Amino acid sequence: MLPIDPWAEMGRRAWVACPNCDDSRDCHRCLAKRTCAEHWRYILASYGSVLRLQCPGCAHLWEHETGFGATRGRTGPASGAAF
Ligand SMILES: [Zn+2]
Ligand SMILES: [Zn+2]
């Protein structure tokens, strides 16, 4: 487990459920797809339509396919093109 990246910009947030702790599961604001003040993730990087996120709650790091945005050739750690 890595510490929270101190260089993560506070302005770069994403509202995506954390696959590790799923802390937004019971939050009515998150369920309503609102921008919740508590349950957001740091956007550490983005390439194409993929975001590299970190959960402030459990420090989990993962990649999230947003399904929109420029889908030019994917660079970086490709995690299988199964879908
Ligand atoms: Zn988490
Ligand atoms: Zn929430």
Side-chain angles (χ1 to χ4, degrees), residues 19-53:
N20 189 53
C21 65
D22 201 13
D23 60 355
S24 61
R25 181 181 40 203
D26 298 319
C27 175
H28 66 277
R29 256 172 302 171
C30 290
L31 287 173
K33 306 273 186 212
R34 309 287 262 289
T35 51
C36 180
E38 281 179 65
H39 307 114
W40 49 269
R41 321 299 161 195
Y42 291 115
I43 301 176
L44 299 182
S46 64
Y47 17 81
S49 58
V50 176
L51 298 177
R52 183 147 187 81
L53 304 174

Side-chain angles (χ1 to χ4, degrees), residues 42-81:
Y42 291 115
I43 301 176
L44 299 182
S46 64
Y47 17 81
S49 58
V50 176
L51 298 177
R52 183 147 187 81
L53 304 174
Q54 183 171 32
C55 174
C58 68
H60 181 62
L61 279 164
W62 78 102
E63 287 176 358
H64 176 72
E65 171 62 67
T66 61
F68 63 85
T71 44
R72 51 209 159 133
R74 230 186 254 188
T75 54
S79 48

